[in-house]
Amino acid sequence: MRLRLTPREDSFYGMFADSANNLVTAARLLVELISEGADREAVAEKMRACEHAGDECTHAIMRRLNETFITPFDREDIYNLASMLDDVMDEMEEAADLVVLYKIETFPKDIIKMVDVLERAAELTAEAMPRLRSMKELNEYWIEINRLENQGDQVYRKLLAHLFSGEYDALTVMKLKEVIDRLEEAADAFEHVANTVETIAVKES
Amino acid sequence: MRLRLTPREDSFYGMFADSANNLVTAARLLVELISEGADREAVAEKMRACEHAGDECTHAIMRRLNETFITPFDREDIYNLASMLDDVMDEMEEAADLVVLYKIETFPKDIIKMVDVLERAAELTAEAMPRLRSMKELNEYWIEINRLENQGDQVYRKLLAHLFSGEYDALTVMKLKEVIDRLEEAADAFEHVANTVETIAVKES
Amino acid sequence: MRLRLTPREDSFYGMFADSANNLVTAARLLVELISEGADREAVAEKMRACEHAGDECTHAIMRRLNETFITPFDREDIYNLASMLDDVMDEMEEAADLVVLYKIETFPKDIIKMVDVLERAAELTAEAMPRLRSMKELNEYWIEINRLENQGDQVYRKLLAHLFSGEYDALTVMKLKEVIDRLEEAADAFEHVANTVETIAVKES
């Protein structure tokens, strides 16, 4: 049996997992939001609650970071990882917010493909966070996130081409483009999370 | 009587106050700019002069920072505070510039509410800067800036919803949105200034 | 005769020159891209190859930086210079990419003036990089880049005013504005490169 001399350290893994699990909830709310006949105001309200929960996680990590002398990896990396997870949430929450603000009722069919990418990326991230403890099997996670980000980029580009194809009037294009841009930035932000994890793993290896 | 052994230090407070007073001038120019029948080219010209004066303030602070060995608070915080004040000015100047560039003649009525928020935030900031010396009564300033930022956000969202309501043609929406986005970023930038002041005060307390 | 005790250092100059020469190629591809009757897909494909070559340069510089103990100037400045050169490329590549994605076939006549500014800025940058070794005649380079950036800004503003003049429909304005914004950011990015070179020269003088 291995004695834990620094039990405090461990909680960072749990807090990162909380933060990432929260992103899974947020991504599922996006699926709900774009589904036909959804009560979008209600979903956006849940998303706001989810974003507040995410803020709590981030603040808890930052507080712990300030109180902890010995951290399981570089302070700066802990700070970055928490911030990057927070950024993903912000982009998803903003997308939901814009949908309600602009009273968007119908979406291009393929938008579900972008949201699917986000849901899968959130799940992978949530599964990877506890593995920071052992630093094992993180490789598959980066590779898959990168693959997803590329896939998301392809979907994004097709959506843009479709938006500007002439099927939509200009005001609708503007509104939908803002929402889709947020989703694309959320996908990018998941990649930044993965890059930060990679940085940590490289240092520890 | 307390002897001042490091008289050089004090001037930072004065320079920050200059920079913030300049923002009050800029915010009042915005009020002028959006008023009916304004000579917008002339106002934008004054705004440019105001922005140059702001640049002078920022450079003076940076120069002083480079020449001063002992600073009244962390060098990085001085640098950040000067940069953040500069950012507010840049957003306001860009808003004025776009109004002239796009030849915008009429504005949604509620835009005055956003500019009022900026004027009030500028005044509060200018009043707070000299209090950095004593670090007293800064609490009210943060709280009020945060309240203003939230209020500005509500106004911004209503303006966006109004812009996209169908009353305006798409090109007009694009032009007005760019201007309103700048105003919203100016309100955000005032909050960043307040956050930097909070950081300084927390360290000094 | 001065003995070179640290021959490794020198290669940074060569790598920066490679990176900047690559920007000359990219700027010339932009000229091709906007010319009448161009095979835009083919040009964008070449631009992608050019961007990959740029990435190689950047990575080579970063790798060298990690392996080198004594660098010819501050590590951070080397890092910044490499990143800034990379940023220019990214903006140019994105502009080309958007042209193809949005199937833009005709451009406002004056767009050539913006691309000319970029081509000239790229050439000046490529000529300046080898002069980092002697730190001589860098003054003319900054002055000229600043002049070009101002010129580019004037062209950009005229293009925007023209775009919103009513000649184009809203969707076309949106597409063209995105491309022109990228070109303007490329011009800005050239100025950031020049500012970094100035920082280095000031420290070394």
Side-chain angles (χ1 to χ4, degrees), chain C residues 17 24 36 38 41 45 50 79 87 91 94 118 150 157 162 178:
Chain C
V24 176
E36 234 184 274
E41 298 250 4
E45 189 59 56
C50 192
Y79 178 88
D87 287 350
E91 298 293 346
E94 234 185 284
L118 296 178
N150 285 333
R157 296 168 60 81
H162 174 65
E178 272 201 67

Side-chain angles (χ1 to χ4, degrees), chain B residues 7-71:
Chain B
R8 274 169 316 161
E9 291 179 17
D10 300 320
S11 52
F12 281 110
Y13 307 112
M15 288 191 289
F16 284 130
D18 288 349
S19 191
N21 279 317
N22 213 28
L23 298 179
V24 176
T25 309
R28 287 179 187 158
L29 286 170
L30 285 179
V31 176
E32 211 180 316
L33 186 82
I34 61 169
S35 63
E36 234 185 273
D39 178 349
R40 298 191 217 288
E41 298 249 4
V43 180
E45 189 59 56
K46 283 188 220 167
M47 185 67 101
R48 260 190 300 279
C50 193
E51 197 249 332
H52 287 152
D55 276 348
E56 296 283 312
C57 290
T58 311
H59 291 148
I61 296 171
M62 300 306 190
R63 237 182 350 255
R64 174 66 48 99
L65 189 59
N66 283 330
E67 295 163 1
T68 309
F69 189 65
I70 298 170
T71 52

Side-chain angles (χ1 to χ4, degrees), chain C residues 87-105:
Chain C
D87 287 350
V88 183
M89 177 57 86
D90 286 348
E91 298 293 346
M92 293 203 280
E93 198 269 333
E94 234 185 284
D97 187 46
L98 286 168
V99 165
V100 171
L101 182 65
Y102 290 156
K103 299 189 205 307
I104 301 176
E105 292 296 333

